[in-house]
Amino acid sequence: MGYKAKFRVWRGEGGEGRLEDFTVEVNEGEVVLDIIHRLQATQAPDLAVRWNCKAGKCGSCSMEINGKPRLGCMTRMSTFGEDETITVTPMRTFPVIKDLVTDVSFNYAKAREIPSFTPPAGVEPGEYRMQQIDVERSQEFRKCIECFMCNNVCHVIRDHEENKPAFAGPRFLMRIAELDMHPYDVVDRKDSAQEDHGLGFCNITKCCTEVCPEHIKITDNALIPMKERVVDRKYDPLVWLGNKIFKR
Ligand code: SF4
Ligand code: F3S
Ligand code: FES
């Protein structure tokens, strides 16, 4: 059975904006993105929203629904009460272009700062031999759809614009961990994870893991192991002794 829902949607551009109230029809089986589309079709033709697949796979429709980062296309209207006012706002960590569309270029800039996978010289594609456990570990991280909700929710940059230059965010610290754990990657990523990409800023609040629509265990399987790898390097007695001897 259909009903009328109360929607409160952020409208604005150029740093200015306000919440606008709508009453809008909802039908059985619909998701929040359907309602945004109905608003465009019936009441707000210039309402801007980014979307593409409507299947939880392109990562485009990230938004904040009642204050929580969610994919609009995967958030069922049946999870809200019919009397509830549903507030839809753009991701807070990135600048708003218009209405629900944010400029996520921060994330692409961070991606470009990470050296790509570098295999050893002389090993041709097809000659790599890996343990199944190494394959499975990176497969979990590669489920990422780049919705950037983990970077959006992480307090290190959500409320601290000034940290952005020094912090890659969980999505890209996870990418560094993925490459560091790869048995055929020869780039030394431990020092740069800490010094260039801000691994030390992460204090394991796990908010990133909580919002990941792919249920990737970002904190437990990527960030904490990467911190351990960095610490192992720093306090490895052999490395310590080598530094003492050779850096004199
Ligand atoms: Fe989105 Fe998860 Fe990828 Fe972060 S790790 S960008 S939350 S899919
Ligand atoms: Fe931020 Fe995730 Fe660490 S939310 S503080 S990167 S555990
Ligand atoms: Fe592709 Fe929502 S439209 S993830």
Side-chain angles (χ1 to χ4, degrees):
M1 279 291 286
Y3 67 97
K4 300 270 187 201
K6 293 188 280 297
F7 259 61
R8 185 166 284 176
V9 183
W10 177 262
R11 308 294 312 272
E13 58 188 307
E16 303 281 312
R18 73 210 170 281
L19 289 165
E20 202 171 309
D21 288 314
F22 298 95
T23 302
V24 54
E25 180 191 331
V26 176
N27 298 306
E28 198 174 341
E30 287 185 329
V31 293
V32 168
L33 187 62
D34 290 318
I35 310 309
I36 300 290
H37 285 160
R38 180 161 300 121
L39 285 175
Q40 284 180 324
T42 57
Q43 305 179 49
D46 62 339
L47 172 58
V49 62
R50 186 186 281 127
W51 68 285
N52 200 320
C53 69
K54 213 170 170 283
K57 285 295 159 214
C58 73
S60 307
C61 66
S62 307
M63 53 184 75
E64 300 197 3
I65 302 173
N66 289 349
K68 295 204 177 103
R70 308 286 298 266
L71 294 178
C73 73
M74 297 302 285
T75 306
R76 292 188 169 280
M77 287 301 297
S78 57
T79 55
F80 305 104
E82 294 189 5
D83 296 340
E84 206 175 329
T85 299
I86 298 162
T87 304
V88 187
T89 49
M91 286 194 284
R92 192 168 99 193
T93 301
F94 312 119
V96 174
I97 297 174
K98 185 176 185 322
D99 303 334
L100 301 177
V101 177
T102 51
D103 176 357
V104 292
S105 51
F106 162 83
N107 300 284
Y108 300 118
K110 293 295 171 184
R112 279 195 295 273
E113 288 172 9
I114 301 169
S116 53
F117 171 65
T118 310
V123 183
E124 299 299 324
E127 293 177 359
Y128 301 170
R129 297 292 178 267
M130 291 168 63
Q131 298 281 336
Q132 186 60 26
I133 191 165
D134 289 323
V135 175
E136 282 161 10
R137 195 159 29 199
S138 67
Q139 265 174 351
E140 181 192 12
F141 305 143
R142 294 183 77 85
K143 287 193 302 180
C144 174
I145 59 170
E146 302 220 309
C147 65
F148 303 129
M149 293 200 294
C150 55
N151 278 7
N152 172 54
V153 82
C154 178
H155 70 98
V156 174
I157 47 176
R158 186 172 173 88
D159 297 315
H160 297 280
E161 188 71 24
E162 70 279 10
N163 288 339
K164 280 186 175 174
F167 186 63
R171 194 279 167 257
F172 297 107
L173 291 169
M174 178 176 85
R175 172 71 179 148
I176 293 166
E178 177 195 336
L179 290 167
D180 199 63
M181 291 172 191
H182 196 298
Y184 275 89
D185 183 69
V186 297
V187 177
D188 186 351
R189 300 175 186 272
K190 294 176 186 63
D191 290 344
S192 75
Q194 194 75 0
E195 286 158 20
D196 305 327
H197 303 289
L199 181 63
F201 279 93
C202 166
N203 57 350
I204 317 182
T205 57
K206 298 198 182 189
C207 308
C208 51
T209 302
E210 275 172 31
V211 300
C212 179
E214 286 294 314
H215 307 293
I216 303 169
K217 293 198 171 67
I218 306 169
T219 322
D220 286 353
N221 290 352
L223 306 185
I224 293 174
M226 193 63 203
K227 281 174 176 284
E228 287 168 351
R229 293 164 89 90
V230 170
V231 169
D232 282 353
R233 145 78 58 83
K234 205 164 174 186
Y235 296 106
D236 183 319
L238 289 177
V239 174
W240 179 82
L241 194 61
N243 283 341
K244 278 271 176 211
I245 294 168
F246 296 113
K247 285 193 179 164
R248 272 203 285 211

